[in-house]
């Protein structure tokens, strides 16, 4: 029963200090907190308010005289002082004791058993998620692939992370870069990050970082720079306002001021996608001086060493100019088989295995009547057998809810085909081409994924860097005259993580003098990746375009033979290069073994119980591990770091469910809810001190359990009542802790010297660590 004059503390707003009840109004208290100089109206129910009763040994001040005294015994509404005087509660004001777990235990400011258990879960989670150095990589909404974990782990182990990511197309270079980037941000090793990518990939980078890695970046274009100047003042550096930014190659060249701002701010990490564009180009000249001074740099390229040795060397020399200063020396080492390349990843499909096969599906059509087709493009498309074939297949694809990607080289043909198919099928056909803005392309792509439509017509704008893995098959309405472009197209579906075969549909054109399909079939380019053949395939476009114009086939035959020979040589005598930090498939099992099997379950248990302890609204929503969490009206704190008051979150703790259901949050390391709850635990008072009765048959005794944090590891220390270390008790105590019961001081009939005894025990604890929680326990078996 609360009365005026009672003192109180608020367990979740310690900064208020001690308050005094001025008025009791039904279920509400009107209290004044002198330290904060605030008068507050507080609900008695569910708010966690506790009356402050001074414990034996605690220091206080007599309000009338200012004399400092010590409490010896506690009576109902009075205290016996150490000097024998008795004084009413209303005449004393507590002096703040050290707010350590040990002092909280000594002064009997006890917490609930559930809060103590939640703290133990939080300490174990902090340790478990380190995962042998993989901890910073396990929070992404991604399937865990050993080669990606390997390169990320190797990279962040370097003081200065300067890596070339040159894995084959579709093996996840972007994910590797995001893993490294997230780890550097989470561990405080980078404060300013600039990602430079082709304009067509800028929005995709933004989405990957946010949806998969909980990282919020902005697009730093001319409009954004102007808004910084308008909102923050002329001359304000946009990198100071937006330290995590993505900029297009083209935008960086068009805005020299942006380059100056980057130099002025000092970039910690630069990430360059499609980095082969840096070779002998304006964007390379613009970025080179910034790359030289940045501490961390990641360059991503799909052009392998075998395809372009000189270009590959230029990228290496950008990263490590002292090591790679002479191309002649580099070439000599390559020929001798002694080349050792550090800080690079060049994983090939054959290195990881297990990828689904490519399945070429040829469709034979008669094209002889197209010679007399009308010149009008729309009318011509109507007579095209490929368009009619697509019209007939669309109905069956829709019945099976399959998504189909159709590549069309010319935008005008693509738009005419769209109009024809929509008129014939009465269903929307989505498009993706270079005449659309990057934002509109991404919006339409998202709409396509969620719609009932089966067809996405895509120009060459979708060949580079895009992920269309959700599509069941791809169709080449026309074939490109460049084999490299063909491989880029196929790479939009043939990517790591795909579970089903990659269906590649193309048309064989009967009735025409020369058909590209015959050439690509002869080279097996539909079924087999062309990695390492770039040099042999160079010049192919000119040869194939000439053949389409009627040139003799002799040159074509000679070129096909050269490519076949190059493939055979690659298979038998691959380039002898040693990647010093490279991935080996034999490392896969050991890497995956580092991932804790119960990490997701422990994260769920800690977060859900912590949220409930803090009064959040928590509703289980089914699924594998799906929950709704809201910082609602009854929450005991206003917000969490990174999570504002009133926030509503629907998410899952299960990785597979998060990957399958993109609309759900993934509650894992790095997510604001998880990190906010762990920070609240680290800084807050919950679960710091308890009294425990521990059932244990055949065991007797009592003592102090202290939990230390030592290099993110939870270190328990046990002392008996004489201060003797008892590590032999630890197995029995941990085993029985789930069955422990919270004890009250009244149940234990504590002596008047309780506080002194606890402080004396505490003096026997090691002094080289931080104590997170303490418990005084007794075995009751």
């Amino acid at each position: 029963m609360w009365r005026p004059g009672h003192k109180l503390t608020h367990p979740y707003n310690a900064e208020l200090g001690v308050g005094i009840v001025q008025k009791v109004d039904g279920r509400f208290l009107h209290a004044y907190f002198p330290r904060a100089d605030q008068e507050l109206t507080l609900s008695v129910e569910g708010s966690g308010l506790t009356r402050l009763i001074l414990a034996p040994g605690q220091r206080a001040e007599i309000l009338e005289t200012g004399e400092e005294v010590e409490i010896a015994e506690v009576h109902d509404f009075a205290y016996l002082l150490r000097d024998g005087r008795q004084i009413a509660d209303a005449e004393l004001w507590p002096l703040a004791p050290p707010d350590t777990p040990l002092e909280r235990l000594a002064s009997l400011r006890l917490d609930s058993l559930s809060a103590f258990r939640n703290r133990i879960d939080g300490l174990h989670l902090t340790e478990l998620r380190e995962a042998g150095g993989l901890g910073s990589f396990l929070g992404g909404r991604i399937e865990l692939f050993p080669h990606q974990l390997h390169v990320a782990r190797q990279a962040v182990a370097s003081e200065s992370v300067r890596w070339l990511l040159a894995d084959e197309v579709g093996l996840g270079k972007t994910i590797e870069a995001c893993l490294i980037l997230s780890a550097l941000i989470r561990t405080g090793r980078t404060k300013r990050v600039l990602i430079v990518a082709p304009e067509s990939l800028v929005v995709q980078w933004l989405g990957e970082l946010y949806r998969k890695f909980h990282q919020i970046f902005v697009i730093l274009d001319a409009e954004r720079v102007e808004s910084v100047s308008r909102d923050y003042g002329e001359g304000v550096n946009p990198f100071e306002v937006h330290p995590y930014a993505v900029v297009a190659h083209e935008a960086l060249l068009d805005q020299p001021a942006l380059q100056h701002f980057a130099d002025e701010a000092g970039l910690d990490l630069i990430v360059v996608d499609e980095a082969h564009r840096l070779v002998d180009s304006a964007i390379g000249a613009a970025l080179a001086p910034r790359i030289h001074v940045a501490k961390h740099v990641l360059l991503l390229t799909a052009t392998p060493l075998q395809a372009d040795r000189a270009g590959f060397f230029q990228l290496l020399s950008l990263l490590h100019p002292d090591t790679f200063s002479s191309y002649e020396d580099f070439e000599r080492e390559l020929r001798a088989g002694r080349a050792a390349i550090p800080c690079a990843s060049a994983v090939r499909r054959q290195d990881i295995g297990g990828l689904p096969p490519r399945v070429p599906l040829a469709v034979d059509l008669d094209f002889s009547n197209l010679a007399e087709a009308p010149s009008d493009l729309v009318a011509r498309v109507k007579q095209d057998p490929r368009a009619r074939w697509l019209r007939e297949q669309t109905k069956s694809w829709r019945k099976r809810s399959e998504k189909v990607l159709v590549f069309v080289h010319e935008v005008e043909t693509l738009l005419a085909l769209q109009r024809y198919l929509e008129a014939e099928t009465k269903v929307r056909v989505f498009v993706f081409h270079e005449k659309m803005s990057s934002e509109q392309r991404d919006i339409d792509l998202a709409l396509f994924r969620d719609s009932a439509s089966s067809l996405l017509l895509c120009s060459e704008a979708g060949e580079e860097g895009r992920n269309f893995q959700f599509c069941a098959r791809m169709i080449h309405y026309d074939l490109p005259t460049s084999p490299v472009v063909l491989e880029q197209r196929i790479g939009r579906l043939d990517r790591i993580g795909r579970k089903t075969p990659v269906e590649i549909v193309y048309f064989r054109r009967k009735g025409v003098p020369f058909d590209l399909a015959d050439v690509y079939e002869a080279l097996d380019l539909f079924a087999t990746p062309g990695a390492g053949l770039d040099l042999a395939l160079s010049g192919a476009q000119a040869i194939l375009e000439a053949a389409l114009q009627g040139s003799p086939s002799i040159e074509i035959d000679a070129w096909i033979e050269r490519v076949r020979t190059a493939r055979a040589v690659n298979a038998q005598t691959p380039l002898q290069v040693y990647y010093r930090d490279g991935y080996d498939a034999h490392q896969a099992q050991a890497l995956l073994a580092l991932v804790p099997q119960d990490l997701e379950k422990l994260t769920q248990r800690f977060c859900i119980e912590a949220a409930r302890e803090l009064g959040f609204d928590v509703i289980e929503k089914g699924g594998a591990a799906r929950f709704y969490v809201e910082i609602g009206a009854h929450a005991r704190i206003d917000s969490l770091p990174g999570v504002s008051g009133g926030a509503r979150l629907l998410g899952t703790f299960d990785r597979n469910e998060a990957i399958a259901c993109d609309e759900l949050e993934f509650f894992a390391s790095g997510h604001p809810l998880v990190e906010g709850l762990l920070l609240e635990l680290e800084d807050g008072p919950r679960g710091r001190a308890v009294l425990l009765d521990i059932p244990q048959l055949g065991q007797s005794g009592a003592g102090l359990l202290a939990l230390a944090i030592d290099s993110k590891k939870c270190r328990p220390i046990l002392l008996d009542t004489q201060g003797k270390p008892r590590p032999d008790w630890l197995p029995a105590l941990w085993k029985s802790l789930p069955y422990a019961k919270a004890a009250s001081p009244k149940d234990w009939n504590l002596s008047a010297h309780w506080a002194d005894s606890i402080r004396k025990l505490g003096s026997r604890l090691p002094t080289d660590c931080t104590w997170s929680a303490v418990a005084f326990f007794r075995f009751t078996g």
Side-chain angles (χ1 to χ4, degrees), residues 419-680:
R419 290 195 291 273
Y420 167 74
L421 291 172
E422 287 183 338
E424 292 290 321
T425 64
K426 311 303 180 187
V427 176
R428 180 176 178 181
V429 174
F430 285 83
V431 295
F432 188 102
H433 56 78
E434 54 267 29
K435 292 188 177 180
M436 302 166 67
S437 69
S438 59
E439 291 82 1
Q440 192 59 51
R441 287 199 294 260
D442 285 282
I443 290 170
D444 280 19
L445 183 58
L447 290 173
F448 171 63
R449 290 192 65 161
D450 295 334
S451 73
S453 176
S454 289
L455 286 179
L456 174 67
L457 307 183
C458 183
S459 74
E460 311 300 2
E463 290 169 357
E464 193 172 59
R466 281 286 174 177
N467 184 351
F468 295 108
Q469 196 177 83
F470 60 90
C471 293
R473 64 183 57 80
M474 74 165 50
I475 296 174
H476 298 278
Y477 187 81
D478 43 32
L479 288 169
T481 54
S482 167
V484 174
V485 173
L486 176 67
E487 180 63 28
Q488 287 175 338
R489 284 184 177 186
I490 296 173
R492 300 313 100 215
L493 266 65
D494 186 13
R495 307 179 73 82
I496 192 165
R498 187 179 180 91
K499 307 300 181 185
T500 58
V502 182
E503 291 187 17
I504 304 167
V505 180
Y506 59 97
F507 300 103
R508 285 198 288 232
R509 302 154 60 96
K510 293 183 178 179
V512 296
F514 175 76
D515 189 4
L516 284 171
D518 294 335
V519 176
Y520 292 154
E521 283 180 337
L523 294 175
D524 201 25
L525 291 179
F526 292 117
T528 307
L533 296 178
D534 300 56
L535 198 61
L537 293 173
S538 63
Q541 188 165 0
I543 295 171
L544 294 175
E545 288 177 352
L548 285 171
Q549 300 301 319
S551 293
S553 62
I554 298 175
E555 190 174 2
I556 287 279
D557 294 339
W559 172 74
I560 289 175
E561 190 57 37
R562 287 200 303 273
V563 175
R564 284 174 171 168
T565 302
R567 192 187 287 278
V569 169
N570 277 356
Q572 294 171 10
T573 57
L575 196 59
Q576 296 299 308
V577 179
Y578 171 57
Y579 289 96
R580 193 176 299 157
D581 305 294
Y583 172 73
D584 186 302
H586 295 96
Q587 299 166 323
Q589 188 173 354
L591 278 166
L592 292 178
L594 293 174
V595 181
Q597 296 301 305
D598 53 350
L599 178 61
E600 291 170 12
K601 290 182 178 178
L602 181 57
T603 304
Q604 175 182 326
R605 189 171 74 219
F606 164 72
C607 289
I608 294 305
E609 290 308 313
R612 287 173 173 153
E613 284 278 327
L614 294 170
F616 296 178
D617 298 327
V618 179
I619 303 173
E620 191 167 358
K621 303 295 283 186
R626 198 176 298 190
F627 287 86
Y628 170 83
V629 180
E630 179 181 351
I631 305 182
H634 301 292
R636 293 170 184 161
I637 59 174
D638 296 330
S639 62
L640 287 171
V643 185
S644 59
R648 301 173 180 180
L649 303 169
L650 177 63
T652 178
F653 293 90
D654 183 82
R655 180 180 301 278
N656 293 329
E657 186 172 46
I659 293 171
C661 304
D662 196 54
E663 70 277 10
L664 296 176
E665 305 269 355
F666 182 31
F667 298 140
S669 293
H671 189 279
L673 178 67
V674 178
E675 299 306 316
L677 289 170
L678 284 169
L679 280 173
E680 186 279 332

Side-chain angles (χ1 to χ4, degrees), residues 223-297:
E223 184 179 347
R224 179 80 65 174
V225 173
E226 183 180 335
S227 72
V228 169
S229 181
R230 183 176 60 250
D231 297 340
Y232 295 90
E234 191 72 31
V236 172
N237 193 320
F239 289 102
E240 298 289 349
V241 179
H242 303 295
Y244 300 153
V246 185
V247 65
H249 288 172
E250 300 83 349
L252 193 63
L253 288 176
D254 293 341
Q255 301 178 72
L258 198 57
Q259 301 175 33
H260 170 72
F261 281 132
D263 296 337
E264 189 179 74
L267 300 174
D268 301 315
L269 169 61
I270 297 176
V271 181
V272 184
D273 197 3
E274 305 298 340
H276 47 271
R277 297 190 181 191
L278 300 183
V279 178
D280 300 325
S281 68
I283 186 65
L287 275 175
R290 281 96 203 172
I291 287 173
H292 283 310
V293 298
K295 182 172 184 180
H296 309 298
V297 180

